[in-house]
Every structure is written in C-alpha cells, then in structure tokens.
C-alpha cells in the first residue's frame, strides 16, 4: 500500500524527542509513549547503513529507469505497429482507386508527366513514404524490435540511429541523386533503386524514405499501378528499412524498389508496347502482361508502355527518376531509406 | 546547502521553503533524511516487526524506495510520511518475505547488526515488545504510529488507509489489550 499520497502533514514534528502531544494524551498514553521510546532507545543504525544507502539508491534508480524505458518502448511499439499496419492496408487500397490515367509525359525528366498520371499516381502513394517512415522510427529507438519493420536486421548502424541528433537532411544537404532500374527477372520483376547522397559537410538525418510516385506512359495503366511500402513476406527480396538513417557527410541512402507486374499478365499492356531507350531503364519487356484486356485506357497507344518512378526525398529535392520499361500494371514495392552500400 | 530537512520546523513555516527544497535528488537529501529519521524509523520498524532482525532491512528498503522515486523526492516535506508509510507496509509479513527474497538478489548489507545485536536482543526481552506482539496487527500499528511516531488520529488513518473511526477503535482496544498483556505474567 505504498501509495502516492502521503498521509497528510505527517511532518517530523516529534520524532523520538518530540514533546508536543503531552498535553493531549492521557497518563496511560503518555506512559505507553515513554515505554515505546525506551524499548527502542538503544537501537542504532548499522555502521554501514548510510554508505549502503548511498550505493543502493542510485542503483535502484537506474533499475527503475531501465524498467521504465523498457515499458515505454513496448508502448511505443504497440502504438506504432497498429497504425503502421492499418496504414499499409490503406495505401494498397487507395492507390488502386485512382482513375484518371494513361499517357503523360514522354520524357523521363519530368517528375510528373501529364496532368493525369500524377493525379492518380502521385496523389495516393505519396503519403506512403511520408507516413510510413515516422511510424517505423520509434521501433528501433527502443531497441531492435523485429516486429514492426519486419525483421529489422539491417544495414543501419544501430549506433548511428541511437544518436539521432543530427538535423534532418535539407534540400541543401542532399544531391548527387541517381536512379536505376535493373533487368527483369524471369517472372517479369524489375528491381532498382534511387540513391541520394548527403553532399554537405555535416551529418544529417533521413527520416523515412521520402516519397515514390509514378507516372504511367504509353499503354501503362496508372489505375492499375500502385506503389506500396515493402513489408515482410510481400514476396520481394527488398531489405527492411529502419526508418531513420543518419548520413554522414558523403554518405548516401537508397530507396529500393521492386516492380511486380500484375498477376496473370492481365495488365493493360498492349502487344505493341516496346522497350524504350529511356534513361537507366532496362530493355526487358517486363510487365508485358500477356492477357486479353486491351489497353482501353491507353490514351496514346502508340507510345511504349513504361512507368516512370520518381523519388522525392522528404526534404523536397532532389527528385530522381527511374523508368521501368514495358510495364503496364502491377505493384511497386518500395523500401524506406536504407544505407547505400 | 540544499534541501535541509525541516526537522524542527513548525508546521506553519513549511510552505516557504518549498522552492529551496525542490532539488531533492541529491545525496545531501539522502544524508539529511538519514540523519534526521533513520534511527526513529528503525524504532518504528522494531516495534512493528515480529522479527526484529529484519528491522534494518525494512528501513533500508523504505529509504531506497522513497529516495529512488523521483517524484517523491521532489516533495521533501513529505519524505518522512512516505518513509513511515513504507515501513509500515513493509513490516507486514507478506511484503517482508519479498524483501528478504530481494536481498538475495542485491548485495546484502555487510555485517549489519554485529555491533547492534545487543540492542535487538534487549528488545526481544523487553516487556512492552512482548506485549505488543500479542496484539492484532492493526492494533499494534495504530498504537505505534499514534504514540511512538506521534501521529494524530487522522494521520494514522491516512497512513493505514482506514477511517478515523477505525483508528479510534483499534487504538482504544489496543490500549486495553496492551494493559492486560503487560499485567499478565509473560
């Protein structure tokens, strides 16, 4: 019953020597009072009592703090895990709701292509990077809890993350951005990455991986393309991001992605889609989903199908693109910021 | 000097020093509290406990608990109240067993009660102590807090978490029982 409210005003009025109650006590009570004092009058503290306390109190405090930190981390984890899961669900759902579509900018330079592409694409997926990442942060602050960022066994150096005092990377800090999309594998998957360097001379913190948006080109159907955060067991071999990353001067982070074309080749790719020689892209007829559905949407059927992915760091710049050729419909799984090797 | 423990302060003066005492986490506070109250708390524990050998453990544990809780240490004027309450609570057997268990985990106090053994032995032979042992736990607690710690009935009620009426009842019955116990041959 060691509770928080102390018995009111039990001040040390009269410890052993006190005398004030004499007036209000009966002779019997006074006698008892004296007897009690006499009984324990010879008791003295152990010789090392104070020294022992001086050691034990700080030790107990430390212990309490550890317990506190542990429970706080557990709470954070709970707070974080649920929204993160919900969020992921939302994203994959909402991204598919985009309607407007189709052809847009032809050149890879533009972040966003025509008015339509970005509207559908950029609108929904963007929160992904933004929200997804802060969610993950507390996770590893409290120690590496594998649960949230699935299997957080990652490139991020824990010592760096713990010392999260570096300021957030600003647009001035970042530069030297590049994007890459590799060749498709047997299943039509294309993996790639965006890389952004800290070009300043100070350390700065990347909090999450910014955003990845897409613009559909040619026969690609933006309505059937979504960008989602990579999660454990999503079928990709992407690494897990720990959320926050501290970049020392000159270091880079990557946002990795894997494109998985729509199952069964039901994508809107029309046969004519051919690889374009764009940028760093591959020449593989990747998401060239076979299947019947013709590109009803494909505004500019003539243009080769491709998806231009754009990564925008949370700071807002620099924007960097990577193009997946021959892709019409499917899902882009992306990581948060991971340390570039 | 930080946080002088208001040992002799009259109740009316206490509010004024709160600011000065707000930094209570220092070793000074521990030392001050120790000097002012440790011995009387040992006495409190000795009167409450059946097992006087664990008096020092109980008081040590009470000190450690109260002083390691930051929010409690921020209210130095209440430290004694917390300490007494904790001693009372720890004196109950169930809790005491847990402390003894904890002792095994932490480093036990070195050679405690070597020089002090005599006093505890004497207490064991003390007539009053023997009589107190025969009382119900509540009666004993009320009497000890009331007359040894000089608490008012209201303060005893708050410490024990019982009503003032119960304090009065335990007190009068306890006194009567004690009188009988002391008159009867041990």
């Amino acid at each position: 019953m060691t509770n928080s409210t102390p018995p009111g005003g039990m001040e040390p009025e009269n410890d052993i020597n006190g005398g004030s109650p004499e007036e209000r006590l009966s002779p019997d009570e006074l006698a008892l009072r004296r007897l009690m004092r006499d009984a324990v009058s010879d008791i003295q503290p152990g010789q090392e009592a104070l020294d022992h306390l001086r050691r034990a109190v700080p030790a107990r405090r430390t212990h309490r703090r550890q317990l506190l930190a542990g429970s706080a981390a557990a709470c954070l984890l709970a707070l974080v895990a649920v929204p993160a899961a919900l969020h992921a669900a939302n994203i994959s759902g909402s991204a598919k709701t985009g309607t407007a579509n189709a052809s847009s900018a032809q050149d890879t330079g533009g972040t966003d292509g025509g008015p339509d592409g970005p509207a559908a694409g950029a609108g929904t997926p963007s929160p992904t990077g933004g929200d997804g990442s802060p969610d993950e942060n507390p996770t590893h602050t409290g120690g590496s809890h594998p649960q949230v960022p699935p299997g957080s066994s990652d490139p991020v150096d824990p010592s760096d993350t713990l010392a999260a005092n570096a300021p957030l990377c600003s647009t001035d800090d970042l530069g030297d951005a590049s994007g890459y999309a590799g060749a498709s594998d047997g299943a039509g998957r294309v993996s790639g990455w965006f890389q952004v360097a800290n070009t300043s001379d100070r350390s700065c913190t990347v909090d999450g991986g910014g955003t990845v948006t897409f613009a559909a080109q040619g026969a690609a159907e933006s309505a059937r393309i979504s960008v989602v955060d990579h999660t454990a067991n999503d079928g990709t071999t992407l690494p897990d991001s720990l959320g926050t990353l501290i970049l020392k001067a000159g270091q880079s982070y990557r946002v990795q992605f894997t494109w998985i074309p729509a199952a069964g080749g039901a994508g809107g790719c029309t046969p004519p889609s051919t690889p374009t020689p764009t940028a760093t892209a591959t020449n593989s007829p990747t998401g060239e989903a076979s299947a019947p559905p013709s590109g009803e949407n494909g505004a500019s059927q003539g243009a080769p199908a491709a998806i231009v992915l754009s990564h925008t760091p949370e700071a807002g710049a620099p924007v960097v693109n990577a193009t997946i050729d021959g892709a019409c419909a499917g899902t882009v799984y992306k990581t948060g910021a991971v340390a570039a090797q | 000097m930080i946080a002088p423990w208001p040992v002799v302060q009259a109740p009316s003066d206490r509010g004024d020093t709160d600011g000065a005492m707000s930094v209570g986490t220092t070793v000074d506070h521990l030392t001050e509290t120790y000097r002012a109250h440790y011995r009387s708390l040992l006495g409190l524990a000795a009167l409450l406990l059946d097992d006087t050998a664990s008096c020092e453990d109980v008081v040590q544990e009470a000190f450690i608990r109260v002083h390691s809780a930051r929010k409690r240490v921020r209210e130095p004027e209440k430290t004694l109240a917390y300490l007494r309450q904790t001693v009372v609570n720890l004196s109950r057997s169930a809790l005491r067993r847990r402390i003894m268990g904890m002792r095994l985990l932490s480093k036990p106090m070195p050679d405690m009660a070597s020089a002090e053994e005599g006093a505890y032995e004497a207490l064991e032979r003390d007539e009053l102590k023997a009589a107190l042992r025969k009382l119900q736990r509540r009666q004993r607690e009320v009497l000890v807090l009331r007359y040894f710690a000089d608490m008012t009935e209201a303060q005893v009620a708050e410490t024990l978490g019982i009503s003032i009426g119960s304090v009065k009842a335990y007190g009068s019955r306890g006194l009567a029982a004690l009188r009988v116990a002391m008159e009867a041959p041990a």
Side-chain angles (χ1 to χ4, degrees), chain A residues 122-199:
Chain A
T124 37
S126 26
T128 311
D131 292 350
S133 40
D135 285 348
E136 291 161 6
N137 297 340
T139 317
H140 62 101
T141 320
S144 58
H145 298 280
Q147 290 104 312
V148 172
S152 60
S153 56
D154 244 48
V156 178
D157 178 356
S159 59
D160 279 357
T161 43
L162 287 177
N165 358 339
L168 287 177
C169 295
S170 71
T171 55
D172 292 338
D173 295 323
L174 299 175
D176 223 354
S178 55
Y180 168 81
S184 70
D185 65 10
R189 300 180 175 198
V190 176
S191 292
W193 43 255
F194 303 102
Q195 179 166 320
V196 181
N198 172 11
T199 52

Side-chain angles (χ1 to χ4, degrees), chain B residues 59-120:
Chain B
V59 176
Q60 284 269 328
E61 176 65 17
F63 259 74
I64 293 168
R65 284 192 186 188
V66 170
H67 285 81
S68 63
R70 225 160 262 280
K71 83 174 181 218
R72 300 208 164 158
V73 167
R74 279 197 208 105
E75 308 172 301
E77 73 282 357
K78 292 178 183 164
T79 303
L80 178 60
Y82 283 133
L83 283 170
R84 283 171 164 170
Q85 195 172 43
T86 308
V87 166
V88 170
N89 292 335
L90 294 176
S91 296
R92 292 176 184 159
S93 54
L95 286 165
R96 198 161 67 250
R97 256 177 257 122
R98 279 172 55 193
I99 302 180
M100 299 321 280
M102 287 166 52
R103 259 190 99 188
L104 300 176
L105 300 176
S106 62
K107 192 170 165 244
M109 258 194 64
D111 81 343
M112 163 224 149
S114 53
E116 297 74 27
E117 248 162 5
Y120 291 104

Side-chain angles (χ1 to χ4, degrees), chain A residues 1-21 24-26 28-30 32-50 52-58 60-61 64-65, chain B residues 5-7 14 25 27 31 34 36-40 42-43 46 56 60-61 63-65 67-68 70 72 77-78 80-82 84-86 89 107 109-110 116 119-120 123 126 128 143-144 147-148 150-151 155 158-160 175 178-179:
Chain A
M1 197 188 84
T2 319
N3 51 41
S4 50
T5 49
M10 279 193 335
E11 259 70 88
E13 304 161 343
N14 326 277
D15 271 353
I16 283 183
N17 316 314
S20 76
R24 49 172 215 256
L25 296 181
S26 71
D28 264 7
E29 291 172 315
L30 283 174
L32 174 58
R33 189 167 173 270
R34 205 162 35 244
L35 279 176
M36 285 182 171
R37 277 158 174 66
D38 288 347
V40 298
S41 62
D42 290 337
I43 294 182
Q44 295 292 336
Q47 286 171 344
E48 305 203 25
L50 181 55
H52 187 257
L53 285 176
R54 283 182 175 145
R55 287 189 301 269
V57 168
R60 183 73 60 90
R61 268 190 203 146
R64 275 169 177 263
R65 261 198 302 273
Chain B
W5 182 246
V7 187
R14 262 168 223 138
T25 56
V27 174
T31 308
Y34 173 87
H37 305 302
Y38 192 88
R39 202 171 148 231
S40 75
L42 269 184
E56 188 117 25
Q60 284 269 328
E61 176 65 17
F63 259 74
I64 293 168
R65 284 192 186 188
H67 285 81
S68 63
R70 225 160 262 280
R72 300 208 164 158
E77 73 282 357
K78 292 178 183 164
L80 178 60
Y82 283 133
R84 283 171 164 170
Q85 195 172 43
T86 308
N89 292 335
K107 192 170 165 244
M109 258 194 64
E116 297 74 27
Y120 291 104
L123 182 63
D126 187 272
L128 173 70
L143 293 184
V144 171
Y147 303 115
F148 178 73
D150 281 333
M151 289 186 188
Q155 289 167 347
E158 204 170 343
T159 301
L160 297 180
L175 273 176
L178 197 62
R179 205 174 290 123

